[in-house]
Amino acid sequence: MRLHEATLLFTLFVLSLNLSAQPGYFPHLQKNGKVTQLMVDGRPYQMLAGELGNSSSSDSVYLTAIWPKLKAMHLNTVLVPVYWELVEPEEGQFNFQLIDQMIRQSRENKIKLVLLWFGSWKNSMSCYAPAWVKEDFKRFPRIKDKKGRSAEILSPFYNENLEADREAYVQLLKHIARRDKSHQVIMVQVENEIGMLPGARDYSDAANQKFNEDVPRKLIDYLVSHRNELQPHLLNLWSSQGFKTKGNWDQVFGKGLATDEVFIAWYLASYANHIAAAGQKVLPVPLYVNCALNRPGLNPGQYPSGGPLPHLIDVWKAAAPDLNLLSPDIYHGDFREWSRKYDLTNNPLFIPEIRRGAENGTQALYVLGKHHALGFSPFSIESTDNPEDYSLTQSYQLISQVQNMLDKHPQTGVWFDYSHQRDTLHFGNYKIIASHDFTLGWSPDSKLDDWPASGGIIIQTTDNEFWVIGTGLVLTFFNAENPVMNVGLLAVDEAEKKGDNWHFRRLNGDQTHQGRHVRIPSGQWMIQRVSLYDYP
């Protein structure tokens, strides 16, 4: 090799190293039309994820044994708790051995990491704070109830609490920035399920002083500039007092538990934002805060209050601009409705935690297709007994085959059970009636109320070509622009990607009901390529 050629190659190599260290090359969020995408290694990336149990990453031997199971489930990402008490067991003395092991093993197994910072709060409580914080309750004050009694929850109104948490968090991210040159860590969660219990707010001296002061100008300005876009709960509180732009919390929002919750939400969010902003300066990856969702009929204080709940999203957006997204942990209710409430123009959907169960596979298809979710992540993923039988394994395997299509083409997701059996979809000139497979009445269990969850993703790759991914689906096609025309199935193929190549098996009338519809039976997980034609 000539000298100038060697010099050129060396220069290009050094340049590539320098580029990879630039902020634009870190994992980041990027707007693509109306869709926000997570960019990893320069490409769109959807997290086919799972979250480890709260204690699974605290022991190196236990953690080592988990990776084969994660790979068997086709995960590309794992959410892993990081504990303040283990990172900083003595004040100012940091231990990152577990972090180094996570990064090394994730690289070896080709699975990315989302780190969950269990700092000041985890499920409202401060149980993951170090012993030196817990024992020094004068230096690190707790919240107080109306009677002056303390709970094991660090108060967000004292700088000592914030500064100690922030310092540990920044040192963690500095260490990752030094050690993680391949960007295995693609996102970080700041705190965990922040919320106030058993009352709606803190009644410590510092909190009471802030409550009686004027509502911060920053929040008032946000309310004024976003008045036509506010969530109904906050808008109604503000309007009930005549849209005041000056006054204390009771004067601006009225007396009551709802105002107490807005107040504590502002200061919890501000606390989290101080930590997020400091971390962004050393490791500019996307940041989020998750939320324990409230159940219907409960008052603030009876659920973890003040977190980024749907009715408080505006408060969090105003107080915490350095957080990229707010995310729901879903354990009850209609997951489709929760997903809708967090899929906002200023808040891309990510489900970092959801109850692990048989419906996870179809839920993942729905949120990734319908909401273009950044990712989906059942909790305690390593507790799965038989990965090969887990619906999420089947789902992730199919999604990984069509990932390039999801990045480029129009798509949506559907999800069905006995209570919600069909949807009407529109793609260009076509209307599609999508239904649960049991609506055909062919299954011996089709009359039971406990129909298995079914769902999938429908992708339009050309004007008359669709790809269908999922299980338990029936699709019937109609011409939306000219209803007198019939829509026929020109060809339907079962598709499977092996390596870089697609393999197709032509499906005949036995699988398409003699050309009447596209069907993926319940219990089968499949990709089908569908070509349509119109005839009078």
Side-chain angles (χ1 to χ4, degrees):
M1 181 181 293
R2 296 176 182 175
L3 179 61
H4 74 276
E5 292 175 332
T7 302
L8 176 60
L9 286 174
F10 179 76
T11 301
L12 291 172
F13 172 72
V14 172
L15 179 61
S16 69
L17 291 179
N18 289 336
L19 285 173
S20 66
Q22 298 302 311
Y25 285 79
F26 280 93
H28 61 280
L29 300 183
Q30 179 173 297
K31 198 81 170 178
N32 182 10
K34 294 182 179 181
V35 175
T36 298
Q37 294 177 311
L38 174 62
M39 304 298 292
V40 175
D41 300 329
R43 297 184 297 273
Y45 186 92
Q46 282 184 304
M47 291 176 279
L48 309 182
E51 180 180 335
L52 296 187
N54 292 328
S55 302
S56 295
S57 59
S58 64
D59 177 76
S60 59
V61 175
Y62 191 90
L63 183 62
T64 300
I66 289 173
W67 294 100
K69 183 176 286 189
L70 303 182
K71 292 185 70 174
M73 288 185 280
H74 299 277
L75 270 67
N76 64 16
T77 308
V78 61
L79 281 64
V80 185
V82 176
Y83 323 92
W84 184 8
E85 62 179 341
L86 297 185
V87 165
E88 193 182 9
E90 301 292 336
E91 186 171 6
Q93 302 298 314
F94 296 95
N95 184 336
F96 298 117
Q97 291 183 354
L98 280 172
I99 305 302
D100 290 340
Q101 179 173 348
M102 289 178 199
I103 293 172
R104 177 178 57 80
Q105 292 186 344
S106 73
R107 185 186 308 114
E108 292 171 353
N109 288 278
K110 298 181 180 180
I111 296 175
K112 297 292 188 180
L113 292 171
V114 174
L115 299 186
L116 315 179
W117 176 240
F118 287 7
S120 291
W121 302 292
K122 191 271 179 188
N123 292 55
S124 299
M125 309 305 288
S126 299
C127 50
Y128 282 82
W132 55 269
V133 171
K134 291 179 179 178
E135 293 174 344
D136 194 349
F137 47 83
K138 291 184 178 179
R139 180 183 168 195
F140 303 105
R142 312 303 196 265
I143 67 161
K144 292 186 181 296
D145 64 16
K146 288 183 177 181
K147 295 182 179 180
R149 295 172 301 196
S150 297
E152 193 179 34
I153 301 175
L154 290 173
S155 172
F157 295 95
Y158 294 89
N159 285 335
E160 285 282 1
N161 294 340
L162 171 62
E163 290 170 2
D165 188 336
R166 181 170 54 195
E167 176 63 17
Y169 179 77
V170 168
Q171 291 302 323
L172 168 67
L173 266 58
K174 282 183 177 179
H175 182 83
I176 294 169
R178 289 192 297 267
R179 295 297 182 91
D180 184 23
K181 299 303 182 182
S182 61
H183 302 316
Q184 292 302 116
V185 177
I186 61 173
M187 189 177 285
V188 177
Q189 175 186 290
V190 181
E191 310 299 340
N192 184 82
E193 292 189 355
I194 298 175
M196 194 58 51
L197 289 170
R201 73 168 178 92
D202 182 7
Y203 286 89
S204 64
D205 291 341
N208 290 336
Q209 180 180 334
K210 288 293 184 183
F211 190 81
N212 291 318
E213 292 177 358
D214 282 354
V215 173
R217 191 73 238 169
K218 185 178 176 182
L219 177 55
I220 295 295
D221 290 344
Y222 183 95
L223 295 175
V224 171
S225 62
H226 294 78
R227 180 168 169 171
N228 295 329
E229 308 156 21
L230 295 175
Q231 297 294 319
H233 177 78
L234 187 62
L235 180 64
N236 291 338
L237 286 177
W238 188 33
S239 67
S240 71
Q241 302 304 302
F243 297 107
K244 287 187 176 70
T245 57
K246 186 175 178 58
N248 65 27
W249 292 85
D250 279 345
Q251 291 167 342
V252 172
F253 297 109
K255 292 182 181 293
L257 291 176
T259 295
D260 290 347
E261 186 179 30
V262 170
F263 165 74
I264 198 64
W266 176 263
Y267 284 99
L268 290 172
S270 298
Y271 188 110
N273 193 68
H274 281 300
I275 295 172
Q280 279 281 13
K281 294 177 181 177
V282 296
L283 188 70
V285 298
L287 304 176
Y288 74 97
V289 168
N290 64 333
C291 176
L293 297 169
N294 55 313
R295 293 180 182 272
L298 298 181
N299 292 321
Q302 294 176 319
Y303 58 84
S305 301
L309 294 153
H311 63 283
L312 299 172
I313 281 180
D314 288 309
V315 180
W316 274 79
K317 286 294 180 181
D322 291 291
L323 290 171
N324 299 99
L325 56 148
L326 310 170
S327 300
D329 291 353
I330 304 176
Y331 286 89
H332 62 85
D334 186 343
F335 92 98
R336 290 166 301 182
E337 183 63 14
W338 290 125
S339 299
R340 182 191 66 79
K341 289 181 176 181
Y342 281 87
D343 182 10
L344 305 172
T345 54
N346 63 348
N347 194 75
L349 177 64
F350 172 41
I351 299 180
E353 195 172 323
I354 190 169
R355 185 186 300 277
R356 185 169 50 88
E359 67 277 8
N360 289 155
T362 51
Q363 289 174 328
L365 291 167
Y366 174 79
V367 297
L368 295 176
K370 173 73 172 179
H371 295 285
H372 308 280
L374 302 181
F376 181 86
S377 176
F379 177 66
S380 192
I381 193 70
E382 78 282 11
S383 300
T384 305
D385 292 328
N386 299 302
E388 65 276 7
D389 298 329
Y390 183 22
S391 69
L392 196 71
T393 301
Q394 310 298 326
S395 179
Y396 280 179
Q397 186 177 31
L398 296 185
I399 294 168
S400 62
Q401 295 180 55
V402 299
Q403 193 64 66
N404 288 338
M405 297 182 195
L406 295 176
D407 298 337
K408 299 175 183 177
H409 298 292
Q411 68 208 248
T412 194
V414 294
W415 193 85
F416 303 119
D417 58 11
Y418 185 80
S419 64
H420 183 82
Q421 300 179 7
R422 58 177 49 84
D423 280 329
T424 300
L425 314 173
H426 296 274
F427 284 90
N429 295 336
Y430 292 104
K431 179 177 78 171
I432 306 173
I433 303 298
S435 308
H436 193 293
D437 177 43
F438 280 17
T439 59
L440 294 176
W442 295 353
S443 168
D445 298 324
S446 62
K447 290 182 171 58
L448 299 179
D449 289 356
D450 57 343
W451 290 10
S454 73
I457 302 175
I458 297 95
I459 309 170
Q460 185 179 29
T461 51
T462 68
D463 287 346
N464 69 329
E465 182 181 272
F466 293 83
W467 289 61
V468 185
I469 302 96
T471 184
L473 297 178
V474 176
L475 304 182
T476 309
F477 295 84
F478 302 89
N479 189 311
E481 290 202 348
N482 190 359
V484 300
M485 297 292 288
N486 296 296
V487 178
L489 303 179
L490 190 63
V492 179
D493 298 300
E494 180 182 358
E496 183 179 9
K497 193 174 186 181
K498 297 181 179 179
D500 294 328
N501 299 314
W502 281 100
H503 297 264
F504 299 97
R505 180 174 72 96
R506 180 58 50 87
L507 302 179
N508 60 28
D510 291 340
Q511 286 82 34
T512 65
H513 198 187
Q514 286 65 54
R516 292 179 175 87
H517 47 239
V518 170
R519 181 191 181 211
I520 303 178
S522 291
Q524 297 184 30
W525 295 81
M526 192 182 299
I527 301 172
Q528 293 187 11
R529 182 182 64 178
V530 182
S531 298
L532 307 177
Y533 74 105
D534 300 290
Y535 63 95

